[in-house]
Amino acid sequence: MSFFGVDCVKKNERELERKLCANDREYNLSFKYATNAIKTSKYNPFTFLPLNLFEQFQRIANAYFLFLLVLQVIPQISSLSWFTTVVPLVLVLTVTAAKDATDDINRHRSDNQVNNRKVQVLIDRKLRSEKWMDVQVGDIIKLENNQFVTADLLLLSSSEPLNLVYIETAELDGETNLKVRQALTVTGDLGEDSEKLADFNGEVRCEPPNNRLDRFTGTLTYAGQKYSLDNEKILLRGCTLRNTEWCFGLVLFGGPESKLMQNCGKSTFKRTSIDRLMNVLVLCIFGFLAFMCTILAIGNCFWELNEGSQFMVFLPRQDGNNAAFSAFLTFWSYVIILNTVVPISLYVSVEIIRLGNSFYIDWDRKMYYSRNDTPAEARTTTLNEELGQIKYFLSGDVYDYTGQRLDLSEHTETVDFSFNPLADPRFMFYDHALVEAVKLENPEVHAFFRLLALCHTVMAEEKKEGELFYQAQSPDEGALVTAARNFGFVFRSRTPDSVSIVEMGQQRSYELLALLDFNNVRKRMSVIVRSPEGKLSLYCKGADTIIYERLHQSCNKLMDVTTEHLNEFAGEGLRTLALAYKDLDEEYFNQWKQRHHEASIVLDDRESKLDELYEEIEKDLLLLGATAIEDKLQDGVPQTIEQLSKADIKIWVLTGDKQETAENIGYSCNLLREEMNEVFIVSGHSPDDVRQELRNALTSMKPVEDSVLLPERTLGKGVKVLTDEVVNGEYGLVINGHSLAYALEHSMELEFLRMACMCKAVICCRVTPLQKAQVVELVKKYKQAVTLAIGDGANDVSMIKAAHIGVGISGQEGMQAVLSSDYSFAQFRFLQRLLLVHGRWSYLRMCKFLRYFFYKNFTFTFVHFWYAFFCGFSAQTVYDEWFITLYNLVYTALPVLGMSLFDQDVNDVWSFQHPQLYVPGQLNLYFSKKAFFKCALHSCYSSLVLFFIPYAAMHDTVRDDGKDVADYQSFALLTQTCLLFAVTIQLGLEMSYWTAVNTFFVLGSLAMYFAVTFTMYSNGMFLTLPSAFSFIGTARNSLNQPNIWLTVLLTSILCILPVVTYRFLFIQLCPTINDKVMFKVRRAKATPAPQPRRTRIGRTSTRRSGYAFSHAQGYGDLVTSGRFLRRPALSRSSGFAQVGRTTTIFSPMGRSAGYSPTGRPQNAKVQDVEVTSLQMYRTITNPAL
Amino acid sequence: MGKGKGKSGPLARRPDNSAFKQQRLPAWSPMLTANTVLPFFYFMALICMLLGVWLLLTVQSTQEVKMDYTEAGTCDKCFEKRKNASNAAQTCSCTVGFNIKKALKGDVFFYYGLQNFHQNLRRYMDSRDDAQMVGKKRNLKNPSSYCKPFNMDQKGLPIAPCGAVANSIFNDSFTLHYLGSGGPVQVPLLRKGITWYTDKNVKYRNPTTENMTLVQVFNGTARPLYWQKPVYELDLLDSTNNGFINDDLIVWMREAAFPNFKKLYGVLYRANKPFTNGLPAGNYSIDISYNFPVQYFQGRKEVVLTTLTWFGGQNHFLPVAYLVTSCLILLIAVVLTVAWYKFGKNRKSMDE
């Protein structure tokens, strides 16, 4: 991508203004604008090798090894043969190149797929189907419904009235709501007439290519007139055309110059904290290496001065070399020898381990959702171990994870709805009595369902006769209407002033006289309708408490019964609504309507006046009954949240939902609990309010301390890090988007974060996608903690991308979230498995791997260091060169890989039972600088043992037949054997899960060592290449000596002795949580039965609500389409201008689907739009881009 | 995952239910518990103790006589003589006497030892050509560049054997006399069979050409600079000990790992009296052909006579190390037992 970035930057410098002329290819070609072909791939077959190698050598480790290779070519320096470096390097390069090649082939494929999409282009006055890549700037193209926009277009004309088109911009900015674009009238008149379009010769002057999605400036000159162009007339590549039969557009920017592609370069490469730590460590290691080499070089200098000069008789120096120069050469020689401290194979092994652990996620059956055949997917293979370190978990709309199946009550048998031809076959219901009642024409029951069928803001779409689709703002509302439908009260269609329903087979049309929409103060909604018979009725549904206050005294008895039911429902965690109606007097209503009309046109205090009117008419209602909707969160959401909070993961919910909804869901999914000391609600409307509310909350959590003082420590370069604070008790925080906008301002963000971090659970409601990302960034910035964001909708994309780890729920709301995520699965509850099992294991494995890897390499290398003091600092290696070459690649590679792929401290069941096991990961306990330092110390000890024991045992001894065994070759063999045994046994101690494969790898590697050693030291190898295999016979002659084996035994014992002692003591004195659980497992012997699945987490209070409604009130306005109450406010103004620019204007996103509730100034054009033709449904897109 | 693609139907993408993929492989999970660790420690302490005692007894049964002859006896004048490099070609002999108080029983091995001689310097060790010494014709006349500056003599003739290692061969020779009651008797030493079998038979070979004597084969090569005689005259009596396969040369070419080392010179030949049981106690003298200069590098030269066991020579390190380790383990075991008894036994710390 950066490739393009560079390209474009160059272009930008040249291009100050874009000029183009419609239908004039020759003219446009003269500017050499980019065509519409895109190229995200990096290589072609010829450039692959040089480019890829060039890139690989930009990695510091690879470059370092190249540098070593160069050093080795210099004979004075070369202390090792070339193959010791070349073999690992080639292996590493090959593996990486192979991976890069596959990736690039995939990119080529997707590029080809996109480039070869067809689009209709107007060429030579005719529409022709052309490939995307052949489209050029200045072409006129025709788009059809649900097509992707080919390039950045100037909209010319469309099939819809007033030249409107509807687009979905999910792929651009992650917002799924439809937006409107409108063409200029002058171009709109061209219509669909290809002759006219072909004659269109407008000239466009506009800004050069850039990446601002919300801005466009330009002018169109056509027929001598100049028209200004702005973003409202532009269709951007990556959008999808919706609800528009066709439209024509003029290509302005193609391919790489389109705003989508200009934005693409930004996608940042995620690295794990271990990666970052490792980079630091590698730098430290380089420093340490230089330090060791310097010491040895100085040693060499002194040695050469004192002894070497006297030894010149036997070993003359090369001409003119003095001690200082010799020391200089020695420095580099030791750089070569000690290179094994810088782990080149580390990077490869880490990649392999991560890949392996990613496969486990893909393969996990317990994260496979059979209903829609979706296995979990690790879309990124480089972040696994970070899954084990999550501290902040930011969730998108929890509500989105609710299932779509809603029940009115729970009984056992499925009801047969075959009597009703319009029934929704997917609807399940279990109460026969109710069906019977409907069939018996009980008037109360009929009124009940009639209410459900009339009083709502759902829109129906009947594509074919009898096939109804409901577009509801909230699933709850949809469910209620569907329920009514299945009981024979089918809502069929609506116009702004009528609602058609089929009542028990009879088509009836109710005149819709008024719609008293829901809002979160009223908590109810009413409709006033005139039945075909002419009867006026008001139907009202709303929160039970609200409805109860407005009931007629006559229903007291019914009220008592219903209250009982409601309490029962609420106890089960169902969301309840009370339904009521009243018949209206014609005269009274006319009078009311008149007053209403007056109230709705007054300029000041309109809202409260309207409310008063509503209040007046919604009284003396007659109770019809109550509905209860099961808060069908996906299976296991509360359990998951409970588990995660037990694992000390801070949970923040960032949702577009209303505050009430969010709060209720917070309770129903156990995020907020009744036991909490307090749940703070921040909903201030000015910065000062918000600040005051935050301070109040802080004071009540920590009354003693000065709440203004922020506990922070500065972490180099002025980056502040907020430390965690402990508060007594559990608190929750609910903040709405409006306040959040203030809280996220620079002056307040720290205070907000501090306060939020003290709370167990944080819910931010009514937040925009951008705010979601801002919250994530805030946490990332001031908390040195790993964040995970989860979401399923396109509005979560920004958050998913911003967090350290993004998880997408593949499911109802399309694929955008999944496509930008790092991990995806079908059910929210799989998250606990992902984190508590896979994440924890991955982290554990990675850390064990790193610790062991550093240990084995340091031990290996330090022995050289000690030997230097005995060989005159001459850079003589301790081991055979072949051993040095193969140590990391063959002898120790598989056992440690085996450990890092199979190891688990306790199995998954226990991991679930003890979520606390997750905590060490958050605290970076398993691998940190401290752990690394410990490793180095341990290695130092081991290397001392491994050098001095063999030295003392061998230096003065001989074989049992008097022959030599203290020679260099025997000593090398002895030391390397000791080393291999020591590190293998150490591995055995690290491993807590010995599968057959592990055992095979460990024993196999040892066997391999002896096999390879005997082969390398055999006659045949020597006679073929005498200089490379000069260790002939060493193995045979020394490994048959008892004192060799006694030495191996002694070194092994001494190497493990402190480790076992230390660990045993620690387990006894201060066992970690892991030790405790492992001990428990041992005591339990057999794995416990899986946790009994809790049927439902009963809520302790009778908290219930009437929020089972639409979550925004825009629909109501839309339905009545400006006839009275409020005027429609299509998102033309709000949808674009406000989205993302948050600090002052808050724009509700998400479910409001682009319609603003705030009664914006009316847009004259929109009035004419037929409401029913809007079809506000969302199709699952195929975002192949 | 490739396997899954073939499937179809509602559960087409369901992962396989194999123990491997579900991470349910049967496994053994060891843990450091008191039941395993403490017995293991006591057991190891015991094992080490037994081994240590046994090895100590074994090593004690060997006898060793060491004698530094660098400036001992009459050798001081040779030492002075060798200080001057111009006298290198002159021979110098000297005699050193010593006394063995207790008879060395069994096979007695005669070593020469060098101190502070760095055979393990990288450039020194590299300065040899194994290909030449395994008898490769091409390398005989074209020694490897690693041998520099000992690959060609001043006339440009290739040196055989080339390199610093061969060039610096230890060239003192010894004759041991037993000064018994019946007058001095020369102690017979076997000077062959003192190398590794693989070295003698595989690693070193004379270049051979049919119908040519060794002299002819080596024709056109020069002797190493410090040598008094060419390689094909190292042992004129025995053709299997001449040239590259001369035992002394082979022993020298096996470089020592550390600057102080000893190398086998000969083994007592026990066929005749009074040496059938080893070296009897009494006075001995060694006649030394004193050629090897050590004064340049402040080295020492010594002669070692020793008897051996299955364990090798008299090296006390391993037995002592085992005994120390044994005590250490025992100590730790006791500490651990106490810790376990006081803190871990009732498992209080284990229960949450």
Side-chain angles (χ1 to χ4, degrees), chain A residues 758-818:
Chain A
M758 288 184 191
C759 295
K760 264 263 177 196
V762 179
I763 296 179
C764 307
C765 38
R766 285 262 171 184
V767 290
T768 61
L770 188 83
Q771 280 182 317
K772 290 184 181 183
Q774 281 178 330
V775 172
V776 175
E777 293 292 352
L778 180 70
V779 176
K780 272 170 77 175
K781 189 169 156 198
Y782 291 111
K783 287 276 175 183
Q784 272 211 315
V786 185
T787 54
L788 176 141
I790 188 168
D792 64 347
N795 51 353
D796 300 320
V797 168
S798 59
M799 177 171 89
I800 286 174
K801 281 190 172 157
H804 288 109
I805 291 183
V807 177
I809 304 264
S810 49
Q812 294 94 21
E813 290 210 35
M815 293 293 283
Q816 288 89 5
V818 171

Side-chain angles (χ1 to χ4, degrees), chain A residues 78 310 313 363 365 845 867 870 874 951 953 962-964 967-968 993-994 1030 1037 1046 1068 1079 1083, chain B residues 15 22-23 25 28 111 120 122 125 195-196 198 203 226 254-255 257-258 296 315 322 343-344 347 351:
Chain A
S78 167
Q310 296 158 349
V313 184
W363 286 335
R365 264 201 169 200
R845 289 166 184 172
Y867 188 54
F870 291 84
S874 63
Y951 161 69
K963 291 171 191 172
D964 211 354
D967 62 302
Y968 168 75
Y993 195 75
W994 285 78
S1030 59
N1037 282 295
L1046 285 169
Q1068 297 305 318
F1079 183 75
R1083 211 158 39 171
Chain B
Q22 302 307 317
Q23 307 197 64
L25 287 177
W28 172 56
Y111 296 91
N120 59 0
R122 178 169 56 86
M125 289 181 82
T195 60
W196 287 9
T198 46
K203 195 169 180 183
Y226 294 178
R254 183 154 285 283
E255 301 106 333
F258 298 101
Y296 300 120
N315 184 344
Y322 266 105
F343 301 99
R347 305 275 174 251
D351 299 318

Side-chain angles (χ1 to χ4, degrees), chain A residues 942-1116:
Chain A
S942 293
S943 64
L944 280 172
V945 168
L946 286 170
F947 177 74
F948 284 99
I949 299 282
Y951 161 69
M954 284 302 119
H955 82 278
D956 195 24
T957 203
V958 289
R959 275 157 56 99
D960 56 2
D961 56 3
K963 291 171 191 172
D964 211 354
V965 79
D967 62 302
Y968 168 75
Q969 294 185 342
S970 302
F971 180 73
L973 180 71
L974 172 64
T975 330
Q976 67 202 35
T977 311
C978 288
L979 172 77
L980 204 65
F981 272 93
V983 295
T984 307
I985 294 174
Q986 178 65 33
L987 178 81
L989 284 176
E990 297 282 345
M991 207 144 48
S992 50
Y993 195 75
W994 285 78
T995 65
V997 185
N998 290 111
T999 318
F1000 174 75
F1001 279 171
V1002 171
L1003 298 182
S1005 287
L1006 271 185
M1008 178 73 104
Y1009 165 68
F1010 287 107
V1012 170
T1013 305
F1014 275 97
T1015 313
M1016 292 283 188
Y1017 299 174
S1018 68
N1019 302 353
M1021 296 294 269
F1022 173 75
L1023 292 177
T1024 333
L1025 266 179
S1027 48
F1029 299 99
S1030 59
F1031 272 57
I1032 175 191
T1034 313
R1036 274 171 283 172
N1037 282 295
S1038 53
L1039 290 182
N1040 61 1
Q1041 291 301 302
N1043 54 7
I1044 294 281
W1045 290 105
L1046 285 169
T1047 313
V1048 173
L1049 177 68
L1050 187 67
T1051 52
S1052 301
I1053 292 176
L1054 285 175
C1055 278
I1056 63 159
L1057 191 65
V1059 184
V1060 176
T1061 311
Y1062 176 80
R1063 292 202 184 162
F1064 181 75
L1065 266 182
F1066 255 72
I1067 292 178
Q1068 297 305 318
L1069 299 181
C1070 41
T1072 62
I1073 176 73
N1074 296 57
D1075 296 329
K1076 287 177 188 168
V1077 175
M1078 279 165 84
F1079 183 75
K1080 247 184 164 175
V1081 176
R1082 279 186 81 82
R1083 211 158 39 171
K1085 286 288 177 196
T1087 52
Q1091 258 179 317
R1093 239 200 143 105
R1094 269 163 291 179
T1095 43
R1096 175 173 296 122
I1097 296 183
R1099 280 187 260 160
T1100 49
S1101 79
T1102 53
R1103 166 179 282 275
R1104 52 178 187 262
S1105 76
Y1107 80 92
F1109 256 112
S1110 55
H1111 300 290
Q1113 56 205 137
Y1115 260 41

Side-chain angles (χ1 to χ4, degrees), chain B residues 136-151:
Chain B
K136 300 229 166 178
K137 276 276 177 49
R138 213 174 54 78
N139 296 66
L140 183 68
K141 299 288 162 66
N142 294 300
S144 152
S145 61
Y146 282 107
C147 285
K148 276 178 189 171
F150 301 108
N151 56 341

Side-chain angles (χ1 to χ4, degrees), chain A residues 368-375 810-812 825-827, chain B residues 10-11 13:
Chain A
Y368 165 80
Y369 191 52
S370 56
R371 194 168 299 159
N372 47 15
D373 192 27
T374 320
S810 49
Q812 294 94 21
F825 39 73
Q827 291 272 294
Chain B
L11 301 177
R13 296 167 67 200

